[in-house]
Amino acid sequence: LSGLLMWSVILIMVAIFGMKLVPVYIEYAGIQKSFAAITNDLALKDATPREIRLSFNKRANIDNIDVISGRDIEISKENGRIVLKADYSVTIPLFANISILIDFEATSD
């Protein structure tokens, strides 16, 4: 019985971690997808940084991305191609005063 209780506690902890971490990684994947769509969009090939940021804000609104906005994106051109980059951190409270800090570096490559 004690082994069963021990495994159930471990399983519950893993489930809690999963429920807290999965949405953060789904949002990161959405940011990566938006960056890739913007860099592959032929209409934005010669766009200004303001137009690129506006395009990202529209995509972020549709994909429900809240952690970054167009202001947080670094825009550069390498080999005639637009490269987008954003560094951000997410703090996830677990329980009591224990939290997880995750640093992300999203790029369009």
Side-chain angles (χ1 to χ4, degrees), residues 21-61:
L21 294 176
V22 167
V24 175
Y25 281 97
I26 289 173
E27 191 167 37
Y28 171 72
I31 292 170
Q32 291 282 91
K33 184 180 81 171
S34 294
F35 281 179
I38 289 171
T39 56
N40 293 330
D41 190 357
L42 295 177
L44 294 174
K45 183 175 170 100
D46 296 322
T48 65
R50 182 178 182 279
E51 292 170 336
I52 293 170
R53 287 185 171 96
L54 184 62
S55 175
F56 176 78
N57 285 337
K58 289 178 183 178
R59 291 173 190 272
N61 192 18

Side-chain angles (χ1 to χ4, degrees), residues 26-99:
I26 289 173
E27 191 167 37
Y28 171 72
I31 292 170
Q32 291 282 91
K33 184 180 81 171
S34 294
F35 281 179
I38 289 171
T39 56
N40 293 330
D41 190 357
L42 295 177
L44 294 174
K45 183 175 170 100
D46 296 322
T48 65
R50 182 178 182 279
E51 292 170 336
I52 293 170
R53 287 185 171 96
L54 184 62
S55 175
F56 176 78
N57 285 337
K58 289 178 183 178
R59 291 173 190 272
N61 192 18
I62 292 169
D63 291 338
N64 200 21
I65 297 171
D66 297 328
V67 292
I68 65 170
S69 67
R71 294 178 309 215
D72 303 322
I73 300 172
E74 297 174 22
I75 303 169
S76 62
K77 283 202 172 191
E78 294 178 9
N79 300 329
R81 184 179 167 147
I82 297 172
V83 176
L84 305 176
K85 181 180 176 188
D87 296 330
Y88 65 97
S89 300
V90 177
T91 303
I92 303 168
L94 290 178
F95 50 88
N97 61 349
I98 298 175
S99 299

